[in-house]
Amino acid sequence: MSTITTYNPATEEKLATYKMHTDDEVIDIINDCHEAYATQKSSTFSERAILMNRAAEILEERKEKYAQAMTEEMGKTYSSAIAEVEKCAWVCRYYADNAEEFLKDEIIETDAHKSLISYRPIGIVLAVMPWNYPFWQVFRFAAPALMAGNVGILKHASNVPKCALQIEEVFRDAGFPKNAFRTLLIGSSQVKSVLENKKVKAATLTGSGPAGSAVASTAGAQIKKTVLELGGSDPYLILEDADLDHAADQCMQSRLLNAGQSCIGAKRFIVLDEVYEEFLEKFTTKMKSAKYGDPKSDVKFGPLARKDLRDEVHGQVLKSVQKGATLHLGGSLPTGKGAFYPPTILTNVKPGMPAYEEEIFGPIASVIKVKDEAEAIKVANDTEFGLGACVFTKDIKRGEDIAKNKLEAGCCFVNQFVKSDPRIPFGGINTSGYGRELSYYGIREFVNIKSVWIEE
């Protein structure tokens, strides 16, 4: 019997052991979900909205319970875990309120008696989700998918099975059909067979590039739709006219959010020469003052999700220093238990270094000096990624032009750190993935956009 054992990354204590689903059990669950789809797709938007609003209420009623699970399983601070659950309730209500409008029939003027576009559900959608936002990553897929009339199967990261089962609990207790949303406790090696099952119609994945490539390859061979939200190395441009106090604070907030374990966390800070020293001083002060430690206490961030991930991050820092980067702040492994890592700043970061080329999933900032705006944009776009980007300037028109026309990323912000919001589409380009989540674009990813032509 295969099992999953979880450990608290802050204390290293064993939390629980879970029995994994066998291949036969997985097939049974898929069959059950397929049967549930018949009920789900025949329900009305108003009926589904009642259930989705109830899911939002359950999230709010049990937010302390769900936040505790996130804190224990992956080390998220308790306060940020509470906020994450509340954000999940928001996305549930957003789609409960708007799904019908987003998917209403569109009349198209043609030479037919009547022609229209209808948006219809497609069936079972597999979600392969990461551990860094154990609830939010799932709900931003599940809320629109279920409101569209689909059913969902979740393969969550192996270190957050309790969160995965609690998410299934939310939809079950809200009154959705029994198998409208199910969690599979399986390993990565079993994902291929799930996606190859003819009753599974599409997949969405949030995670690493290699994981996304594997899922996309399998789905492509089966002619199945995928949406991928992968890694990022988000550039933040600090121009000569930026409010440096505001920029330093926003940059610190974004870099240390979730202990730096965020696809859209600020990674590379590209600073014009004339304000470089002043910004670096202010940014260093902010980073240095950020407390980390027990995620249940009043700290800025807790541990990384696992010790092996912490060690990988430290290796990227050391390799960057070996290649010529300067360790400006932090960069040393703490003693004692827990996968902790201090706020760290690297300067003199150049191409060829991990701190320049790779995504570093931890509280490490790469600060890069450039001579002017043109070089800042060139460096910002000098990456294989393309998820988020940000520019700080007091000239709003200049900032808008840079964000809209010059930065090559899916989510570009001005004077505010990059974040996801149910009202705007979320996703990237290049190796950061394709497709969109959230807004009306997200709910239309997993539907049959059906053309209907009628003659008398």
Side-chain angles (χ1 to χ4, degrees), residues 282-353:
K282 292 178 182 294
F283 183 50
T284 302
T285 299
K286 293 281 186 181
M287 292 282 282
K288 189 183 293 186
S289 64
K291 294 192 299 181
Y292 68 98
D294 179 0
K296 295 180 180 179
S297 64
D298 183 20
V299 293
K300 186 67 180 176
F301 63 95
L304 274 67
R306 301 192 312 264
K307 262 197 168 179
D308 63 304
L309 298 173
R310 190 273 304 271
D311 294 342
E312 180 180 334
V313 161
H314 186 54
Q316 290 174 295
V317 171
L318 294 180
K319 189 173 181 180
S320 296
V321 172
Q322 289 168 3
K323 288 179 172 288
T326 299
L327 189 59
H328 181 77
L329 177 71
S332 59
L333 286 175
T335 58
K337 290 185 176 182
F340 295 100
Y341 202 79
T344 297
I345 297 175
L346 293 170
T347 58
N348 295 316
V349 174
K350 308 290 183 184
M353 301 175 182

Side-chain angles (χ1 to χ4, degrees), residues 147-175:
M147 281 303 303
N150 295 310
V151 298
I153 291 180
L154 170 64
K155 189 282 176 205
H156 218 325
S158 60
N159 59 332
V160 290
K162 186 174 184 178
C163 292
L165 293 170
Q166 288 177 336
I167 293 168
E168 179 183 302
E169 168 191 286
V170 171
F171 290 116
R172 183 180 64 247
D173 291 357

Side-chain angles (χ1 to χ4, degrees), residues 36-48 99-106 116-125 144-151 201-202 225 440 442-452:
Y37 173 56
T39 302
Q40 177 74 352
K41 72 176 180 179
S42 63
S43 62
T44 66
F45 282 108
S46 59
E47 288 170 340
R48 296 195 289 266
E100 185 170 11
E101 177 68 20
F102 290 161
L103 298 181
K104 70 180 181 180
D105 290 350
E106 294 181 40
L116 59 92
I117 300 171
S118 180
Y119 300 91
R120 302 300 302 156
I122 58 173
I124 299 174
V125 183
L146 268 61
M147 281 303 303
N150 295 310
V151 298
K201 301 302 182 181
K225 172 75 177 288
Y440 65 85
I443 198 170
R444 291 181 178 181
E445 288 284 5
F446 296 117
V447 292
N448 174 14
I449 303 175
K450 181 186 293 187
S451 296
V452 179

Side-chain angles (χ1 to χ4, degrees), residues 1 37-38 48 60 87 141 145 155-156 160 216 229 233 258-259 278 326 338 355 380 400 406 416 435 446-447 450:
M1 179 182 70
Y37 173 56
R48 296 195 289 266
E60 291 170 339
K87 190 172 184 180
F141 147 74
K155 189 282 176 205
H156 218 325
V160 290
E229 194 270 281
S233 184
N258 208 35
E278 186 178 357
T326 299
E400 181 179 347
K406 298 177 181 178
Q416 164 74 56
F446 296 117
V447 292
K450 181 186 293 187

Side-chain angles (χ1 to χ4, degrees), residues 63-208:
K63 62 184 177 182
E64 291 86 1
K65 168 186 170 181
Y66 297 149
Q68 182 176 346
M70 282 189 271
T71 298
E72 290 179 347
E73 285 193 323
M74 59 75 54
K76 186 184 299 288
T77 62
Y78 182 72
S79 59
S80 65
I82 289 286
E84 182 168 333
V85 179
E86 292 172 343
K87 190 172 184 180
C88 293
W90 178 22
V91 79
C92 288
R93 290 198 174 96
Y94 176 78
Y95 282 107
D97 292 344
N98 294 290
E100 185 170 11
E101 177 68 20
F102 290 161
L103 298 181
K104 70 180 181 180
D105 290 350
E106 294 181 40
I107 302 298
I108 304 296
E109 292 298 327
T110 68
D111 53 355
H113 169 69
K114 182 180 182 181
S115 51
L116 59 92
I117 300 171
S118 180
Y119 300 91
R120 302 300 302 156
I122 58 173
I124 299 174
V125 183
L126 168 66
V128 182
M129 292 289 124
W131 44 260
N132 58 334
Y133 289 92
F135 270 64
W136 172 244
Q137 304 278 17
V138 178
F139 273 89
R140 75 184 190 196
F141 147 74
L146 268 61
M147 281 303 303
N150 295 310
V151 298
I153 291 180
L154 170 64
K155 189 282 176 205
H156 218 325
S158 60
N159 59 332
V160 290
K162 186 174 184 178
C163 292
L165 293 170
Q166 288 177 336
I167 293 168
E168 179 183 302
E169 168 191 286
V170 171
F171 290 116
R172 183 180 64 247
D173 291 357
F176 281 92
K178 181 180 178 182
N179 294 296
F181 188 94
R182 292 294 304 273
T183 284
L184 298 178
L185 296 181
I186 59 174
S188 298
S189 63
Q190 293 169 275
V191 171
K192 186 173 185 291
S193 63
V194 173
L195 195 45
E196 288 174 339
N197 189 297
K198 294 186 183 301
K199 291 175 180 175
V200 175
K201 301 302 182 181
T204 180
L205 177 142
T206 299
S208 69

